[in-house]
Amino acid sequence: MPRSGSEKRKLTGQVLVRLTAEQQAAVATYAVAEQVSAATWLRRLIADALGISPGPVTTRGQAPELVLEVAHLREVVAELCGALVQAAVASRKDGRPAEHAAIEALIPSIKSAVLELDKLKEKLWPRAR
């Protein structure tokens, strides 16, 4: 069975290093600035210090803060949609047709907002192809 791209790139060695919040933030900041993953940035740092090859480069870094905020907002809106669906079901079961209709009328626009947030996130931070 052929291996996928990530399996071909997978490196054999690893070291688990726990970082303070300050160290983690600094690594993330530098990696984003160079548009590489945190692991690639750290591999480069270690390789430079040891005078050896840095190995493979992952050219996509952590998403910018704005993209992360849009992704979070998308999740919140999606949860709101789920809650509205549950409320619609409950109002129907409780025999409140007017309330059920009002809630049902909101659901399409909330679903649309989720899709629009997905599109915005993709425009701001396209997936690596």
Side-chain angles (χ1 to χ4, degrees), residues 115-127:
L115 295 174
E116 290 301 316
L117 287 166
D118 280 338
K119 289 177 189 175
L120 176 60
K121 187 178 80 166
E122 183 67 24
K123 283 181 184 178
L124 292 171
W125 190 251
R127 290 180 218 174

Side-chain angles (χ1 to χ4, degrees), residues 11 13-20 22-58 60-62:
L11 300 175
Q14 68 178 1
V15 176
L16 173 64
V17 178
R18 299 202 184 276
L19 303 174
T20 65
E22 182 181 21
Q23 292 167 335
Q24 179 67 36
V27 167
T29 298
Y30 281 103
V32 167
E34 293 184 28
Q35 293 189 345
V36 296
S37 68
T40 295
W41 188 82
L42 286 169
R43 257 195 319 275
R44 284 181 182 172
L45 189 68
I46 292 167
D48 288 347
L50 298 175
I52 59 176
S53 168
V57 174
T58 304
R60 184 173 168 89
Q62 181 179 351

